[in-house]
C-alpha cells in the first residue's frame, strides 16, 4: 500500500545517503570517480533535490558535475561565491570538456550555454533572464550563503529554483550547511523544495 511504499522509499534513500560506493557509469567523464563519490552521484540522481555536504576536499564539485552530466540536466546554473567562479569553469572543462560554460561577470548578457556560472552578489540581477533559459538544474555552492531568508540573494535563488522542473535537479553544496543553529538550514530546505516534508518553517523550528 501507499504507506508501505513511502516507508520503503524513505529507507532506501536513507541507506543511499550514507553509502560509500555505488554501481554507476558516467561515460562522458574524463576521469574516474572515487567509490564514495559514485554513491553521492547516485543519491543526487535518486532524490533530484539534495545536499552534498561532504567535508572540504572530498570532491563535492565533481559529484555535482557528474550527476548533472549523467542525467543530461542542461542548461544548469551554478551559483557560487565570486572567488569560485573560474574554478567551476575549470572543473567543468576538465571533467566534461564537451560542455560550454559561460561565466557571468557584472552586466554580461546570458548567452546560450550548457553551464551558466554566476556569483551570489549579482545573481538577483539575472532572475528574469534565467527564466527564459529553460533551466533543467541549479547548483548552489557554499549554500550556507543563503541561510538568511530575508537576503536579496536568498530570495532570488528561491525564485530561480522554481524555474527548474520536477524532473530536473537542484543540488546544494556545503561542508557547513549549519554553522550555529538549525534555523540556518530552513531557507536552504525551502530552496530544495522539501521544507513541506517537515511541516513547514515553524514545525521544523519547533521540532529542531
Amino acid at each position: 500500500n501507499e504507506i508501505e511504499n513511502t516507508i520503503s522509499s524513505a529507507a532506501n534513500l536513507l541507506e543511499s545517503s550514507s553509502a560509500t560506493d555505488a554501481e554507476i557509469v558516467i561515460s562522458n567523464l574524463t576521469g574516474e570517480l572515487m567509490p564514495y563519490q559514485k554513491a553521492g552521484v547516485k543519491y543526487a540522481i535518486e532524490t533530484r533535490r539534495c545536499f552534498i555536504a561532504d567535508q572540504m576536499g572530498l570532491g563535492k564539485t565533481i559529484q555535482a558535475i557528474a550527476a548533472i552530466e549523467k542525467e543530461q540536466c542542461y542548461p544548469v546554473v551554478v551559483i557560487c561565491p565570486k572567488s569560485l567562479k573560474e574554478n567551476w569553469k575549470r572543473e567543468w572543462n576538465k571533467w566534461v570538456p564537451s560542455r560550454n560554460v559561460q561565466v557571468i561577470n557584472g552586466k554580461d548578457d546570458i548567452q546560450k550555454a550548457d553551464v551558466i556560472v554566476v556569483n551570489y552578489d549579482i545573481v538577483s540581477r539575472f532572475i528574469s533572464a534565467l527564466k527564459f533559459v529553460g533551466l533543467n538544474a541549479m547548483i548552489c555552492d557554499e549554500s550556507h550563503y543563503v541561510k538568511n531568508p530575508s537576503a536579496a540573494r536568498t530570495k532570488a535563488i528561491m525564485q530561480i529554483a522554481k524555474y527548474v522542473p520536477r524532473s530536473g535537479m537542484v543540488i546544494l553544496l556545503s561542508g557547513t550547511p549549519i554553522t550555529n543553529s538549525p534555523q540556518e538550514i530552513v531557507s536552504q530546505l525551502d530552496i530544495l523544495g522539501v521544507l513541506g516534508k517537515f511541516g513547514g518553517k515553524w514545525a521544523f523550528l519547533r521540532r529542531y
Side-chain angles (χ1 to χ4, degrees):
N1 61 35
E2 185 176 345
I3 294 176
E4 289 176 345
N5 289 337
T6 299
I7 293 171
S8 176
S9 176
N12 289 338
L13 286 176
L14 181 60
E15 181 181 355
S16 181
S17 72
S18 58
T20 56
D21 198 0
E23 290 293 329
I24 189 167
V25 176
I26 306 148
S27 57
N28 294 338
L29 292 186
T30 59
E32 182 67 23
L33 297 179
M34 300 289 288
Y36 71 88
Q37 293 173 333
K38 291 180 181 179
V41 171
K42 183 173 183 287
Y43 177 71
I45 290 171
E46 289 175 347
T47 60
R48 315 306 289 182
R49 281 151 175 75
C50 71
F51 282 101
I52 297 178
D54 294 338
Q55 295 179 5
M56 186 172 65
L58 294 182
K60 294 186 290 294
T61 300
I62 178 50
Q63 290 178 62
I65 291 172
I68 298 299
E69 179 62 23
K70 176 66 175 176
E71 294 297 283
Q72 300 287 291
C73 280
Y74 296 101
V76 54
V77 61
V78 178
I79 306 165
C80 63
K82 183 177 180 180
S83 61
L84 296 179
K85 288 196 296 186
E86 289 299 327
N87 181 69
W88 270 98
K89 182 177 181 178
R90 283 194 302 270
E91 288 297 299
W92 223 293
N93 288 338
K94 171 185 174 183
W95 288 92
V96 196
S98 60
R99 299 296 177 181
N100 56 67
V101 182
Q102 182 192 15
V103 176
I104 301 294
N105 294 300
K107 296 183 179 179
D108 292 350
D109 290 330
I110 291 178
Q111 307 298 323
K112 188 172 183 179
D114 296 316
V115 184
I116 300 161
V117 184
V118 61
N119 53 299
Y120 286 109
D121 299 329
I122 63 173
V123 68
S124 60
R125 303 179 197 171
F126 298 95
I127 298 173
S128 297
L130 287 168
K131 182 176 183 178
F132 299 102
V133 167
L135 290 176
N136 276 306
M138 181 178 79
I139 297 169
C140 292
D141 193 9
E142 305 292 354
S143 65
H144 49 272
Y145 273 59
V146 292
K147 65 184 180 182
N148 181 356
S150 62
R153 61 189 173 203
T154 304
K155 293 178 180 178
I157 291 166
M158 283 183 177
Q159 183 60 46
I160 294 165
K162 294 176 183 176
Y163 301 155
V164 179
R166 287 304 306 177
S167 59
M169 302 182 77
V170 177
I171 302 175
L172 272 53
L173 311 182
S174 178
T176 54
I178 300 175
T179 55
N180 291 305
S181 71
Q183 186 170 345
E184 297 174 347
I185 205 170
V186 170
S187 58
Q188 297 175 72
L189 292 172
D190 203 4
I191 289 166
L192 288 174
V194 299
L195 188 57
K197 293 182 178 181
F198 296 90
K201 175 182 177 179
W202 298 113
F204 176 89
L205 292 176
R206 279 196 301 270
R207 180 170 182 180
Y208 298 103

